[in-house]
Amino acid sequence: MKKTRRPFSTKHVFLPLLLAFSSASPAAEPAKPIATKPNIIVILVDDMGYSDLGCYGSEIQTPNLDKLAASGIRFTEFYNMSRCCPSRAAILTGLYPHQAGIGLMQENLGLPAYQGHLNDNCVTLAEVLKSAGYATAICGKWHVGGTDYQPSPWMRGFDHGISSIQGGFYYAQVDKQGNPPLRKSLWLDGKQLPNDSPALPKDWYTTDVWTDYGIKYINQAVAEKKPFFLYLAYNAPHFPLQAPAADIAKYRGKYLAGWDKLRAQRYQWQLAHGIIDPAWALSPLPESQPDLKDVVPWDSLNEKQKNRFDHIMAIYAACVDHMDQGVGRLVDDLKKQGAMDNTLIFFLSDNGGNLEGGPNGTTEKGKGELGSADSTVFCGESWATLENTPFRYYKHFEHEGGISSPLIVHWPDGIKAAGIITKERAQIIDIMATCVDVAGAKYPTEFNGHKILPLEGQSMAPVFTGGKLASYPMFREHEENEAIIDGDWKLVRPHGSPWELYNLAKDRTELHNLAAQEP
């Protein structure tokens, strides 16, 4: 598989240095905390594109998330940090990832902004909410440190948790000695679990494990009469794509229409339902760009190739579908516990659809069928063009396809503007500010003897009652892909390429580079 990572160059360290010494966000008008602190659930999925939910235009069946959207708020201009580790650092700390120490991934590059794990100058959502009386739990992927000398969830404010510390996966796997490798092992409250642990069901699948334990931790908090914070970080639909056979079977044959027609269908749905502006034309299939290859028209493929691609996307859709089933089980339990109305739920993705695997994707069978525990399947760039409809580029990059995420917010007791689609622009660092605001929590200036950087985001709570958000500049850098968004304007470049300039109000699909006309 061709890697997209570029050699690190200190000449591009200016952006994280700028972020470390400035706070560009406005002071938000705090919301009045309601009488009872709201429970808070942040649901983060992995490598899911902007248009992969039914309520954002997809043909994938996501009825449970669609219901939350119908009675909550859908954001159409919400931004992540273009890749898993940086986005997780941002969502957990309310800072730009470079400020928290994770400008790249978990490698230590010898600079504070790129040390590869959460530093001591940030606090996590769990630490802040725990200080406000919350029970805190994590279920799922951590990926912001987690070796013997780096912070793990139980070191950063989580009372309980079952997690994959260094990555994500679906089924149990073992090394040559029969033990789960560190990157593919589950940890429960600080202890590594063997695959056959009585704490795990037989033939477990992580999407179900995360959901089951999330329900368990919620029930514990309700029994203790404490408000709860649950960070539910599904690894679906990250590669290698694996899903239960019955879910895959639901989608076989549905993708024989191909990415050309399905992109057009999603685009037309988005236009009809107010997700995108009619001024934004559907981006064409990509031509050769740095690290990218041409995506061919579907009709140029033979039947064998079409069937293979259909199988790949069916597995991807199954991962998303099964995740939605988990969300449905969680919601059903919240209702059973009488906790649904006063629970604030955020749902988002950590980056856009993923080009890794190239235009042809990857299909490597083991002993079972594609999509089973010993197979390796990557969607690849061709299907990522569908996942990111209507935008260009993908995970890793700072163009809209890499950093645009669906965001659903649901809170019956606190959202008075329910059922709306909002064009207010927000980003992943705003989640911490929002949680601090609605919980009546205090974001510290010092914590455990360390000075804490001030929040960079702003509370999204004004949108909950039909209000507006202040506009402030947003900064991005990952693998020397860089961007600044300020008002209607976006300055962006892939690594090693000239700066491009776009007017997002007129051209959010980034088809008309105005750098020459607007120097």
Side-chain angles (χ1 to χ4, degrees), residues 266-302:
R266 288 192 183 188
Y267 176 72
Q268 290 300 323
W269 190 99
Q270 291 170 334
L271 287 174
H273 292 82
I275 298 296
I276 61 174
D277 192 300
W280 307 338
L282 176 63
S283 61
L285 292 178
E287 299 175 354
S288 294
Q289 296 162 345
D291 277 344
L292 307 182
K293 296 181 179 179
D294 291 349
V295 173
V296 301
W298 180 261
D299 288 342
S300 68
L301 304 175
N302 61 39

Side-chain angles (χ1 to χ4, degrees), residues 169 230 243 334 349-350 400 408 470 474 493:
F169 54 97
L230 172 64
L334 286 169
S349 179
D350 64 350
E400 294 293 286
I408 297 170
M474 298 179 179
R493 67 175 171 186

Side-chain angles (χ1 to χ4, degrees), residues 55-117:
C55 55
Y56 280 81
S58 180
E59 66 294 324
I60 302 173
Q61 296 176 29
T62 56
N64 297 295
L65 287 163
D66 296 348
K67 288 178 183 177
L68 291 180
S71 55
I73 297 175
R74 269 175 289 175
F75 283 71
T76 62
E77 296 193 32
F78 184 81
Y79 290 106
N80 56 60
M81 293 294 172
S82 80
R83 201 161 175 210
C84 43
C85 293
S87 282
R88 286 159 212 280
I91 202 171
L92 284 165
T93 67
L95 302 175
Y96 283 99
H98 303 81
Q99 294 174 297
I102 307 183
L104 187 61
M105 296 288 279
Q106 293 189 118
E107 301 90 337
N108 188 339
L109 299 183
L111 290 167
Y114 301 91
Q115 69 178 31
H117 60 87

